Amino acid sequence: MRGRVSIIGLGPGNSAQRTPQATQVLAQVTDLVGYGPYVQRVDAPEHVVRHSSDNREELDRARHALDMAQAGRHVGVVSGGDAGVFGMASAIFEAIQNGPAAWRSLDIEVIPGVSAVLAAAARLGAPLGGDFCIISLSDNLKPWPVVLQRLQLAAQAGFVIALYNPRSKARPWQLGEALAHLRHYAPATAPVAFARAIGRADESVKISTVAEADAEWADMSTLVLIGCAASHVIERPDGQEPWIYTARTVAAP
């Protein structure tokens, strides 16, 4: 029996934002592998075996999934958002590159999902209307000076910047340092949005500026979106939440 690994993006958390393809494939798997909260998010039949693990065990998780697929199982490896954006897809292929040759004969498919940055952008208006980039503030897999350098270059280039993994109990200081660093390179009045748990019952949005943004407004469920000189806030009447959009046109330097 030929095994299969389906690497599935679950979307930002609201089942309405999960793609029909992801739902279809989830109904076919024999096993679910992933970070505990993501595995528990899936409403699967009783015969599906769940294999939950800690958030920092991506390569071990990937190898386990590949071993089960080699034994003929159809393994669903799940990630929040899109599995290819700071998710399990890269861990699976890294394991394949450095693992047994037999893994290269397995059927591997990546099922796209709605990434958190897309859900947040849709909630805010159109902040990704121009060029943008996504940077993870986690320094688990890259040195912190590299993070700061990338933030600087992105701000100097005029990109809208989406920050993943902005703040956790183990890393409470990094977002504050990142915002302080960006104040040297990004326009002080550029909008900054703290989009938390978008699509879920406890979602919240707070809009500020580069000059006034406070790291205390974020946790690991928050996506921080930092605008550029071409980003604008459209105020609305009667206390309605404003829109943020980034102009499509960029002036010549």
Side-chain angles (χ1 to χ4, degrees), residues 24-71:
Q24 181 182 26
V25 174
L26 284 168
Q28 300 168 356
V29 302
T30 61
D31 298 78
L32 281 172
V33 172
Y35 176 45
Y38 298 147
V39 170
Q40 296 308 312
R41 186 186 295 178
V42 179
D43 184 14
E46 289 187 6
H47 71 267
V48 174
V49 183
R50 299 173 188 264
H51 308 266
S52 300
S53 54
D54 186 75
N55 201 26
R56 295 192 181 188
E57 298 177 4
E58 289 91 348
L59 275 178
D60 287 341
R61 187 184 304 150
R63 296 184 188 106
H64 184 207
L66 292 163
D67 279 337
M68 286 192 293
Q70 192 173 358

Side-chain angles (χ1 to χ4, degrees), residues 155-156 158-159 182-192 209-211 226-230:
Q156 289 175 325
F159 288 120
L182 281 168
R183 289 186 182 108
H184 296 289
Y185 308 103
T189 57
V192 176
T209 63
V210 167
I226 300 162
C228 63

Side-chain angles (χ1 to χ4, degrees), residues 3-138:
R4 175 185 292 268
V5 176
S6 298
I7 312 166
I8 305 165
L10 297 177
N14 184 335
S15 60
Q17 294 175 327
R18 182 182 302 168
T19 69
Q21 184 186 17
T23 298
Q24 181 182 26
V25 174
L26 284 168
Q28 300 168 356
V29 302
T30 61
D31 298 78
L32 281 172
V33 172
Y35 176 45
Y38 298 147
V39 170
Q40 296 308 312
R41 186 186 295 178
V42 179
D43 184 14
E46 289 187 6
H47 71 267
V48 174
V49 183
R50 299 173 188 264
H51 308 266
S52 300
S53 54
D54 186 75
N55 201 26
R56 295 192 181 188
E57 298 177 4
E58 289 91 348
L59 275 178
D60 287 341
R61 187 184 304 150
R63 296 184 188 106
H64 184 207
L66 292 163
D67 279 337
M68 286 192 293
Q70 192 173 358
R73 310 286 288 177
H74 182 179
V75 185
V77 179
V78 295
S79 287
D82 181 274
V85 180
F86 303 120
M88 280 300 298
S90 59
I92 289 288
F93 290 112
E94 182 179 340
I96 291 172
Q97 182 181 26
N98 298 289
W103 285 351
R104 301 187 181 210
S105 298
L106 292 170
D107 289 334
I108 309 289
E109 61 178 351
V110 182
I111 309 300
V114 178
S115 186
V117 67
L118 301 181
R123 176 71 168 74
L124 294 166
L128 306 182
D131 296 329
F132 69 95
C133 68
I134 301 173
I135 297 175
S136 171
L137 285 193
S138 173

Side-chain angles (χ1 to χ4, degrees), residues 119-125 193-196 198 203-208 233-244:
R123 176 71 168 74
L124 294 166
F194 293 77
R196 185 186 183 281
I198 298 303
E203 76 169 23
S204 64
V205 171
K206 187 174 183 65
I207 296 173
S208 185
V233 177
I234 301 177
E235 299 293 346
R236 303 173 69 196
D238 303 323
Q240 296 181 80
E241 190 175 285
W243 289 309
I244 299 176

